[in-house]
Amino acid sequence: MSAPLSVAPPSVVSRRPRARWAATGALAGLLVALLGGGWLLWDNRRLDITGYDVPIDQLPPGAEGLSIAQVSDLRPDLLRELEALGVVILRDEAVTVEVAGTPLTLVGLDDPRVAASTDRKASSPRDLLRAMELPEAATTVLLAHRPELLGDYTGVGVDLVLSGHAHGGQVRVPGIGGVYAPHQGVLPVLTEGVHLRDGTTMVISRGLGNSIAGVRVNNPRELVLVELTAR
């Protein structure tokens, strides 16, 4: 009588393909994680330099072609260092300077939450701008951090507003735009680019800094160059 053939237990045979698939899936997941992490690292280190030609009504001939570099969303604790370098910080103030013999009014508004956190009485941007009695003859450029307050910047003699704050929506989806911005919420409208309302033009930079979220997605940091042209 011959001895029975030795057969491996079915459980041992069936486990080998499963283990192979599990190892393949783990390797694929690791590769995706590495590629995604590398892309995010690159995406958060790159810088876009964006140029806009901005038409201005009744722009004086001497201001034609004037270029403005817009730097947005720096940390507030850099203010002391900027002042030490001779940079003029405008906090609810206006100054008139001459560029090639042409008067240009520069206005700077503090962020509304700064006034709320101090003893100063909080005023709306529109009230502050009206109180300054901006000269009608000069082209007026307003530095105002909050783009969602665009309606307050119109109808008071402001030609151009330079804003940031929205960080480009932090995460940008092709065909949709920014996902979230402070004080605008989900799917914000005012996160980058040029916007015109009631004769006032606003240029929004995606900025150099981040909001609470420390990672940008498909949303490189941005330095904006604005060139004034006659409308």
Side-chain angles (χ1 to χ4, degrees):
M1 179 181 293
S2 61
L5 294 175
S6 176
V7 179
S11 59
V12 174
V13 176
S14 63
R15 268 202 298 265
R16 288 177 182 171
R18 292 181 183 175
R20 191 179 301 117
W21 279 109
T24 302
L27 184 60
L30 178 61
L31 181 61
V32 169
L34 289 174
L35 290 174
W39 182 83
L40 279 177
L41 183 63
W42 170 79
D43 193 43
N44 280 264
R45 288 177 178 269
R46 62 188 175 121
L47 172 69
D48 279 354
I49 300 178
T50 308
Y52 297 113
D53 291 337
V54 177
I56 299 294
D57 288 330
Q58 301 178 349
L59 182 71
E64 178 78 30
L66 176 66
S67 294
I68 301 173
Q70 179 184 358
V71 181
S72 299
D73 300 315
L74 296 175
R75 294 173 57 88
D77 54 12
L78 293 171
L79 289 180
R80 192 172 300 172
E81 298 177 21
L82 289 174
E83 288 179 317
L85 293 172
V87 176
V88 177
I89 308 296
L90 298 175
R91 310 190 71 169
D92 297 338
E93 300 172 89
V95 296
T96 298
V97 298
E98 280 199 4
V99 179
T102 300
L104 184 70
T105 299
L106 302 177
V107 184
L109 291 184
D110 232 337
D111 191 287
R113 64 183 172 183
V114 174
S117 64
T118 63
D119 294 332
R120 289 186 299 153
K121 181 181 178 181
S123 301
S124 71
R126 181 177 293 277
D127 290 340
L128 288 170
L129 292 168
R130 282 176 173 167
M132 293 179 191
E133 298 182 351
L134 302 175
E136 296 182 2
T139 297
T140 300
V141 178
L142 169 63
L143 312 178
H145 191 57
R146 299 278 195 93
E148 74 275 8
L149 300 178
L150 174 56
D152 276 0
Y153 311 143
T154 63
V156 286
V158 173
D159 298 291
L160 173 63
V161 185
L162 303 179
S163 290
H165 187 56
H167 308 280
Q170 202 67 39
V171 175
R172 298 193 67 82
V173 179
I176 296 177
V179 172
Y180 180 85
H183 301 100
Q184 293 188 64
V186 178
L187 299 181
V189 175
L190 301 173
T191 61
E192 68 164 0
V194 180
H195 304 263
L196 178 64
R197 184 179 299 179
D198 298 331
T200 297
T201 301
M202 171 181 278
V203 177
I204 306 172
S205 169
R206 296 195 304 271
L208 299 177
N210 290 324
S211 60
I212 297 175
V215 178
R216 291 169 173 252
V217 178
N218 196 33
N219 177 31
R221 302 168 193 271
E222 184 179 44
L223 173 65
V224 172
L225 300 178
V226 174
E227 183 169 315
L228 304 185
T229 63
R231 193 189 301 277

